Amino acid sequence: MSKELQRENRGYLNSGSSQQCGSGMNDDQELIQIQLPLAEGITKELRVGQRLLLNGVIYGARDAAHQRLIAALEKGENLPVDLRGQVIYYVGPTPPRPGRPCGAAGPTTSSRMDRYTPQLLEYGVRGLIGKGRRSPEVINAIRKYGAVYLAATGGAGALIGRCIKEMQVVAYPDLGPEAIYRITVENLPVTVAIDSRGENLYEIGPAQYRRI
Amino acid sequence: MQEITVSLIVENVARLCQEANFDLPSDVRDALQEAADLEESSQGKRILGEIYENDCIAQQERIPLCQDTGMVLVFVEIGQDVHVTGGSLTEAINAGVARGYQEGYLRKSVVADPLHRKNTGDNTPAVIYYDIVPGDQLRITVMPKGFGSENCTALGMLKPADGLDGVKRFILDAVDKAGPNPCPPVTVGIGIGGTADKALLLAKRALLRDVKSANQDPDLAALERELLEAINKLGYGPGGLGGRITALAVHIETYPTHIAGLPVAVCLNCHAARHKTWEWRGEKVE
């Protein structure tokens, strides 16, 4: 493990405002602090199952935005946002209440983006955050381009929303919740689900507990 | 006969939409806590802890449990002696959904046309089912259904010769195919019999049952237990990262069917099994 990866075991809930919640947390795994954007060298060192706390800027994009990004790439046009070296989060947040940066913002099912993902990785996207399985084509592309797929906890929208400090629409505003968002995160908790060697937690994890 | 004005319906549907999205039913919460005690995998325990925490934050801060605040299913049981005044019942329900999603800062996830896909901007229309029942009461249940789990729905038009073994295999296979995608631990609603559409509706309605409830038929109750045990051997666990607790409950509902058929439908609900009910009996509001 490189010295660039700063290890810190720190409760990511501390960034929240509420005092009463927090008793249920049960995170005894080591948490690795990651500063975004992901340096290429770091992506290749990440290993399946590791727990990360992401800090910095990620880009929120889901179904409709992916469709437009790929259409632009296929026409040889510039993308409305430079996503090379960046991390894409499959998210469609709820509207924030007044005075808050964000509402609920958990991950959506990644497999719907599978058909677009190899082209985006070829273009230069370095990391993906979502939930659920990926196709063999996506796993191959992750390996080929040295990228990483990170799992956020599905259905933990309110919890994850607290890690979002700033959020603005940067492309396709007509898509509403499906627009591309620039999202600044602090201690966003994710798990390395598919690493740059193609090791896949969605296979390894369940295999340990499968009894049929 | 009882009269109810549409404005009361709009108001209550708006309230139910918000409460359902901020506040997990207590039976689901209890089942999740129990799951945390039973889960063996550390990833699974950690995820159940996050889910518990998420529920706490959502309830306190009135932030949706999940960003997918769903397409709204509304189940209406209306007594045949109830008279709705001041407008259309269906329009009132949709107006309530629109108001609830606006006032509650909930996500508007509905597109007007499945092919052209332009957002309607207010999360309407809802999918509404009406049952006309004896009496002069009204009962409305709101179920915001996220599509992570909805996309995992399975319908099998089995042959009578496939029998009970075929049914079990179909159900297990559906949950296995869904794997991590519907946000486990899931609740599994199963409809057996009727026509294709009836089986799906039975399966969907089964998701509204209390998590701990069992079918009143002892054979079906035993089948529910057997399937739950089998599903929890698939290994997906919370979040699908590996573990014992893939499902919190299996609920089966059946209906008479045709001599030539054996329809089986499987509907899954994510761990945020959201629904809220309002019962109106004249002046008495429960």
Side-chain angles (χ1 to χ4, degrees), chain B residues 184-213:
Chain B
V186 293
T187 44
V188 183
I190 294 165
I192 309 174
T195 49
D197 49 314
K198 181 68 181 179
L200 281 164
L201 188 53
L202 288 173
K204 184 61 65 61
R205 279 181 187 273
L207 297 176
L208 293 171
R209 275 174 39 187
D210 187 285
V211 175
K212 285 287 163 209
S213 68

mmCIF file of all heavy atoms in Angstrom, chain B residues 184-213:
data_model
loop_
_atom_site.group_PDB
_atom_site.id
_atom_site.type_symbol
_atom_site.label_atom_id
_atom_site.label_comp_id
_atom_site.label_asym_id
_atom_site.label_seq_id
_atom_site.Cartn_x
_atom_site.Cartn_y
_atom_site.Cartn_z
ATOM 1 N N PRO B 184 -31.360 -5.418 -0.696
ATOM 2 C CA PRO B 184 -31.693 -6.314 0.407
ATOM 3 C C PRO B 184 -31.186 -5.766 1.751
ATOM 4 O O PRO B 184 -30.265 -4.957 1.748
ATOM 5 C CB PRO B 184 -30.946 -7.610 0.041
ATOM 6 C CG PRO B 184 -29.904 -7.231 -0.969
ATOM 7 C CD PRO B 184 -30.365 -5.963 -1.621
ATOM 8 N N PRO B 185 -31.789 -6.221 2.877
ATOM 9 C CA PRO B 185 -32.812 -7.264 2.973
ATOM 10 C C PRO B 185 -34.176 -6.823 2.442
ATOM 11 O O PRO B 185 -34.684 -5.789 2.849
ATOM 12 C CB PRO B 185 -32.878 -7.577 4.466
ATOM 13 C CG PRO B 185 -32.219 -6.441 5.161
ATOM 14 C CD PRO B 185 -31.295 -5.800 4.206
ATOM 15 N N VAL B 186 -34.729 -7.696 1.586
ATOM 16 C CA VAL B 186 -35.983 -7.383 0.915
ATOM 17 C C VAL B 186 -37.164 -8.032 1.640
ATOM 18 O O VAL B 186 -36.977 -8.932 2.457
ATOM 19 C CB VAL B 186 -35.966 -7.907 -0.539
ATOM 20 C CG1 VAL B 186 -34.959 -7.146 -1.370
ATOM 21 C CG2 VAL B 186 -35.684 -9.410 -0.606
ATOM 22 N N THR B 187 -38.366 -7.559 1.314
ATOM 23 C CA THR B 187 -39.552 -8.359 1.609
ATOM 24 C C THR B 187 -40.021 -8.912 0.265
ATOM 25 O O THR B 187 -39.945 -8.235 -0.749
ATOM 26 C CB THR B 187 -40.677 -7.561 2.293
ATOM 27 O OG1 THR B 187 -40.811 -6.312 1.625
ATOM 28 C CG2 THR B 187 -40.359 -7.278 3.734
ATOM 29 N N VAL B 188 -40.475 -10.160 0.295
ATOM 30 C CA VAL B 188 -40.837 -10.860 -0.936
ATOM 31 C C VAL B 188 -42.344 -11.070 -0.938
ATOM 32 O O VAL B 188 -42.876 -11.774 -0.079
ATOM 33 C CB VAL B 188 -40.104 -12.218 -1.009
ATOM 34 C CG1 VAL B 188 -40.414 -12.918 -2.334
ATOM 35 C CG2 VAL B 188 -38.598 -12.033 -0.841
ATOM 36 N N GLY B 189 -43.014 -10.462 -1.899
ATOM 37 C CA GLY B 189 -44.458 -10.642 -2.056
ATOM 38 C C GLY B 189 -44.704 -11.624 -3.190
ATOM 39 O O GLY B 189 -44.132 -11.489 -4.261
ATOM 40 N N ILE B 190 -45.554 -12.613 -2.926
ATOM 41 C CA ILE B 190 -45.796 -13.649 -3.925
ATOM 42 C C ILE B 190 -47.290 -13.799 -4.167
ATOM 43 O O ILE B 190 -48.071 -13.905 -3.220
ATOM 44 C CB ILE B 190 -45.182 -14.991 -3.467
ATOM 45 C CG1 ILE B 190 -43.660 -14.853 -3.430
ATOM 46 C CG2 ILE B 190 -45.593 -16.134 -4.408
ATOM 47 C CD1 ILE B 190 -42.980 -15.950 -2.679
ATOM 48 N N GLY B 191 -47.653 -13.807 -5.428
ATOM 49 C CA GLY B 191 -49.038 -14.058 -5.812
ATOM 50 C C GLY B 191 -49.084 -15.336 -6.628
ATOM 51 O O GLY B 191 -48.326 -15.484 -7.582
ATOM 52 N N ILE B 192 -49.937 -16.271 -6.208
ATOM 53 C CA ILE B 192 -50.070 -17.521 -6.951
ATOM 54 C C ILE B 192 -51.526 -17.660 -7.361
ATOM 55 O O ILE B 192 -52.424 -17.578 -6.510
ATOM 56 C CB ILE B 192 -49.644 -18.750 -6.107
ATOM 57 C CG1 ILE B 192 -48.254 -18.524 -5.493
ATOM 58 C CG2 ILE B 192 -49.646 -20.018 -6.960
ATOM 59 C CD1 ILE B 192 -47.815 -19.637 -4.532
ATOM 60 N N GLY B 193 -51.773 -17.895 -8.655
ATOM 61 C CA GLY B 193 -53.135 -18.113 -9.141
ATOM 62 C C GLY B 193 -53.717 -16.916 -9.855
ATOM 63 O O GLY B 193 -52.993 -15.975 -10.196
ATOM 64 N N GLY B 194 -55.040 -16.975 -10.088
ATOM 65 C CA GLY B 194 -55.719 -15.922 -10.826
ATOM 66 C C GLY B 194 -55.295 -15.896 -12.282
ATOM 67 O O GLY B 194 -55.001 -16.928 -12.878
ATOM 68 N N THR B 195 -55.251 -14.682 -12.829
ATOM 69 C CA THR B 195 -54.713 -14.456 -14.168
ATOM 70 C C THR B 195 -53.352 -13.801 -13.985
ATOM 71 O O THR B 195 -52.940 -13.532 -12.849
ATOM 72 C CB THR B 195 -55.646 -13.512 -14.937
ATOM 73 O OG1 THR B 195 -55.925 -12.393 -14.086
ATOM 74 C CG2 THR B 195 -56.953 -14.202 -15.298
ATOM 75 N N ALA B 196 -52.652 -13.490 -15.072
ATOM 76 C CA ALA B 196 -51.322 -12.884 -14.948
ATOM 77 C C ALA B 196 -51.385 -11.602 -14.119
ATOM 78 O O ALA B 196 -50.618 -11.413 -13.164
ATOM 79 C CB ALA B 196 -50.767 -12.585 -16.342
ATOM 80 N N ASP B 197 -52.336 -10.718 -14.480
ATOM 81 C CA ASP B 197 -52.436 -9.430 -13.776
ATOM 82 C C ASP B 197 -52.870 -9.623 -12.325
ATOM 83 O O ASP B 197 -52.382 -8.933 -11.426
ATOM 84 C CB ASP B 197 -53.414 -8.509 -14.519
ATOM 85 C CG ASP B 197 -54.728 -9.202 -14.837
ATOM 86 O OD1 ASP B 197 -54.693 -10.351 -15.320
ATOM 87 O OD2 ASP B 197 -55.794 -8.614 -14.589
ATOM 88 N N LYS B 198 -53.752 -10.590 -12.085
ATOM 89 C CA LYS B 198 -54.213 -10.841 -10.707
ATOM 90 C C LYS B 198 -53.046 -11.330 -9.837
ATOM 91 O O LYS B 198 -52.895 -10.898 -8.687
ATOM 92 C CB LYS B 198 -55.339 -11.884 -10.724
ATOM 93 C CG LYS B 198 -55.913 -12.214 -9.355
ATOM 94 C CD LYS B 198 -56.669 -11.049 -8.757
ATOM 95 C CE LYS B 198 -57.230 -11.373 -7.385
ATOM 96 N NZ LYS B 198 -57.945 -10.209 -6.810
ATOM 97 N N ALA B 199 -52.230 -12.210 -10.388
ATOM 98 C CA ALA B 199 -51.090 -12.735 -9.626
ATOM 99 C C ALA B 199 -50.144 -11.595 -9.242
ATOM 100 O O ALA B 199 -49.664 -11.519 -8.104
ATOM 101 C CB ALA B 199 -50.357 -13.798 -10.444
ATOM 102 N N LEU B 200 -49.899 -10.691 -10.184
ATOM 103 C CA LEU B 200 -49.007 -9.558 -9.889
ATOM 104 C C LEU B 200 -49.599 -8.653 -8.815
ATOM 105 O O LEU B 200 -48.887 -8.180 -7.928
ATOM 106 C CB LEU B 200 -48.736 -8.757 -11.169
ATOM 107 C CG LEU B 200 -47.701 -9.390 -12.099
ATOM 108 C CD1 LEU B 200 -47.767 -8.765 -13.492
ATOM 109 C CD2 LEU B 200 -46.290 -9.249 -11.528
ATOM 110 N N LEU B 201 -50.910 -8.428 -8.892
ATOM 111 C CA LEU B 201 -51.533 -7.552 -7.897
ATOM 112 C C LEU B 201 -51.523 -8.208 -6.509
ATOM 113 O O LEU B 201 -51.277 -7.541 -5.501
ATOM 114 C CB LEU B 201 -52.961 -7.209 -8.336
ATOM 115 C CG LEU B 201 -53.687 -6.146 -7.508
ATOM 116 C CD1 LEU B 201 -52.860 -4.867 -7.391
ATOM 117 C CD2 LEU B 201 -55.048 -5.825 -8.109
ATOM 118 N N LEU B 202 -51.746 -9.530 -6.474
ATOM 119 C CA LEU B 202 -51.666 -10.240 -5.186
ATOM 120 C C LEU B 202 -50.259 -10.100 -4.594
ATOM 121 O O LEU B 202 -50.092 -9.873 -3.389
ATOM 122 C CB LEU B 202 -51.947 -11.736 -5.383
ATOM 123 C CG LEU B 202 -53.374 -12.186 -5.686
ATOM 124 C CD1 LEU B 202 -53.367 -13.673 -6.017
ATOM 125 C CD2 LEU B 202 -54.299 -11.915 -4.498
ATOM 126 N N ALA B 203 -49.259 -10.245 -5.451
ATOM 127 C CA ALA B 203 -47.867 -10.163 -4.989
ATOM 128 C C ALA B 203 -47.563 -8.763 -4.464
ATOM 129 O O ALA B 203 -46.925 -8.596 -3.429
ATOM 130 C CB ALA B 203 -46.918 -10.532 -6.127
ATOM 131 N N LYS B 204 -48.049 -7.770 -5.179
ATOM 132 C CA LYS B 204 -47.798 -6.382 -4.755
ATOM 133 C C LYS B 204 -48.491 -6.096 -3.428
ATOM 134 O O LYS B 204 -47.915 -5.538 -2.504
ATOM 135 C CB LYS B 204 -48.259 -5.439 -5.871
ATOM 136 C CG LYS B 204 -47.992 -3.970 -5.668
ATOM 137 C CD LYS B 204 -46.534 -3.620 -5.542
ATOM 138 C CE LYS B 204 -45.669 -3.853 -6.755
ATOM 139 N NZ LYS B 204 -46.019 -3.115 -7.944
ATOM 140 N N ARG B 205 -49.752 -6.515 -3.323
ATOM 141 C CA ARG B 205 -50.494 -6.290 -2.081
ATOM 142 C C ARG B 205 -49.879 -7.050 -0.899
ATOM 143 O O ARG B 205 -49.969 -6.599 0.241
ATOM 144 C CB ARG B 205 -51.945 -6.741 -2.231
ATOM 145 C CG ARG B 205 -52.845 -5.754 -2.911
ATOM 146 C CD ARG B 205 -54.246 -6.346 -2.951
ATOM 147 N NE ARG B 205 -55.172 -5.550 -3.724
ATOM 148 C CZ ARG B 205 -55.867 -4.527 -3.210
ATOM 149 N NH1 ARG B 205 -55.744 -4.196 -1.952
ATOM 150 N NH2 ARG B 205 -56.698 -3.853 -3.980
ATOM 151 N N ALA B 206 -49.290 -8.191 -1.188
ATOM 152 C CA ALA B 206 -48.682 -8.992 -0.117
ATOM 153 C C ALA B 206 -47.566 -8.205 0.573
ATOM 154 O O ALA B 206 -47.261 -8.440 1.746
ATOM 155 C CB ALA B 206 -48.144 -10.301 -0.682
ATOM 156 N N LEU B 207 -46.962 -7.252 -0.154
ATOM 157 C CA LEU B 207 -45.890 -6.441 0.440
ATOM 158 C C LEU B 207 -46.417 -5.510 1.523
ATOM 159 O O LEU B 207 -45.645 -4.957 2.303
ATOM 160 C CB LEU B 207 -45.198 -5.612 -0.649
ATOM 161 C CG LEU B 207 -44.471 -6.395 -1.748
ATOM 162 C CD1 LEU B 207 -43.920 -5.442 -2.806
ATOM 163 C CD2 LEU B 207 -43.336 -7.230 -1.151
ATOM 164 N N LEU B 208 -47.732 -5.326 1.571
ATOM 165 C CA LEU B 208 -48.312 -4.423 2.577
ATOM 166 C C LEU B 208 -48.566 -5.126 3.905
ATOM 167 O O LEU B 208 -48.866 -4.487 4.902
ATOM 168 C CB LEU B 208 -49.631 -3.845 2.064
ATOM 169 C CG LEU B 208 -49.519 -2.903 0.861
ATOM 170 C CD1 LEU B 208 -50.909 -2.579 0.318
ATOM 171 C CD2 LEU B 208 -48.788 -1.625 1.248
ATOM 172 N N ARG B 209 -48.464 -6.450 3.910
ATOM 173 C CA ARG B 209 -48.719 -7.176 5.154
ATOM 174 C C ARG B 209 -47.681 -6.844 6.218
ATOM 175 O O ARG B 209 -46.536 -6.514 5.903
ATOM 176 C CB ARG B 209 -48.689 -8.689 4.877
ATOM 177 C CG ARG B 209 -50.030 -9.223 4.392
ATOM 178 C CD ARG B 209 -49.978 -10.675 3.986
ATOM 179 N NE ARG B 209 -49.145 -11.511 4.835
ATOM 180 C CZ ARG B 209 -48.859 -12.781 4.578
ATOM 181 N NH1 ARG B 209 -49.354 -13.372 3.498
ATOM 182 N NH2 ARG B 209 -48.078 -13.477 5.380
ATOM 183 N N ASP B 210 -48.075 -6.963 7.479
ATOM 184 C CA ASP B 210 -47.124 -6.802 8.577
ATOM 185 C C ASP B 210 -45.972 -7.789 8.373
ATOM 186 O O ASP B 210 -46.201 -8.944 8.016
ATOM 187 C CB ASP B 210 -47.849 -7.087 9.897
ATOM 188 C CG ASP B 210 -46.978 -6.776 11.088
ATOM 189 O OD1 ASP B 210 -46.051 -7.568 11.382
ATOM 190 O OD2 ASP B 210 -47.213 -5.740 11.724
ATOM 191 N N VAL B 211 -44.740 -7.323 8.586
ATOM 192 C CA VAL B 211 -43.574 -8.159 8.290
ATOM 193 C C VAL B 211 -43.653 -9.512 8.999
ATOM 194 O O VAL B 211 -43.308 -10.545 8.444
ATOM 195 C CB VAL B 211 -42.262 -7.442 8.695
ATOM 196 C CG1 VAL B 211 -41.066 -8.353 8.498
ATOM 197 C CG2 VAL B 211 -42.073 -6.183 7.866
ATOM 198 N N LYS B 212 -44.135 -9.488 10.234
ATOM 199 C CA LYS B 212 -44.134 -10.716 11.036
ATOM 200 C C LYS B 212 -45.355 -11.600 10.776
ATOM 201 O O LYS B 212 -45.465 -12.685 11.344
ATOM 202 C CB LYS B 212 -44.089 -10.362 12.530
ATOM 203 C CG LYS B 212 -42.729 -9.892 12.977
ATOM 204 C CD LYS B 212 -41.745 -11.056 13.048
ATOM 205 C CE LYS B 212 -40.306 -10.558 13.097
ATOM 206 N NZ LYS B 212 -39.367 -11.504 12.508
ATOM 207 N N SER B 213 -46.291 -11.114 9.946
ATOM 208 C CA SER B 213 -47.536 -11.863 9.756
ATOM 209 C C SER B 213 -47.291 -13.132 8.950
ATOM 210 O O SER B 213 -46.352 -13.211 8.164
ATOM 211 C CB SER B 213 -48.563 -10.990 9.034
ATOM 212 O OG SER B 213 -48.142 -10.753 7.702
#
